[in-house]
Amino acid sequence: MLQPSTVEWLRGALRQGTQSRAELSRELCRRDNWRNRKGRLCTASARKHLPRLAEELGGALPPVRRRAGGCRRRSPRQARRAVAPVELQCSLAALGKVELQLADTAELRRRYGDLLAAEHPLGRGLAPGCRLVYGIRARGQVLNFK
């Protein structure tokens, strides 16, 4: 149950429409001291309830904002065209040094994502939250195992 002052603030914030959904959920938690056992704001829960709250208050939520440089889905066909196949017909021992390469640039993350989209049975998929992406390299090339 929200405090009456929080309800009035939310009604006004929805009317103005200048805050993002993330900003609204943070402020909602801050105003009503909505925290978990560790003392952190419960912004995920607040964001989950925002659509219902907005509907009950007769307001509209702002459109969902996408982060710049976020993942964009590509079709498997686009991904196959973007990835040059490297076929090696040898044993793992014959490859020499095999290493994991951290995808620490947008270009490498896109390239490894394209490999997943093109070759993995489940496609690229988008894991929620932050994650590390690695590729396997040998002889200076990214390996693609089938």
Side-chain angles (χ1 to χ4, degrees), residues 20-21 61-65:
S20 69
R21 292 177 184 217
L61 286 174
V64 175
R65 293 182 189 170

Side-chain angles (χ1 to χ4, degrees), residues 43-115:
T43 55
S45 295
R47 197 169 308 165
K48 178 182 174 183
H49 292 290
L50 271 177
R52 183 184 53 80
L53 291 169
E55 185 178 327
E56 287 178 8
L57 296 175
L61 286 174
V64 175
R65 293 182 189 170
R66 299 283 180 215
R67 264 192 284 178
C71 296
R72 291 177 183 86
R73 288 191 185 264
R74 295 173 124 186
S75 73
R77 184 179 298 141
Q78 286 174 313
R80 277 189 210 98
R81 285 194 304 256
V83 177
V86 176
E87 289 194 28
L88 299 172
Q89 301 274 334
C90 63
S91 68
L92 187 58
L95 280 176
K97 183 179 176 184
V98 176
E99 59 189 9
L100 289 177
Q101 179 185 25
L102 175 64
D104 55 358
T105 66
E107 173 61 26
L108 282 174
R109 283 190 297 276
R110 184 197 58 77
R111 185 170 181 198
Y112 294 154
D114 287 346
L115 274 170

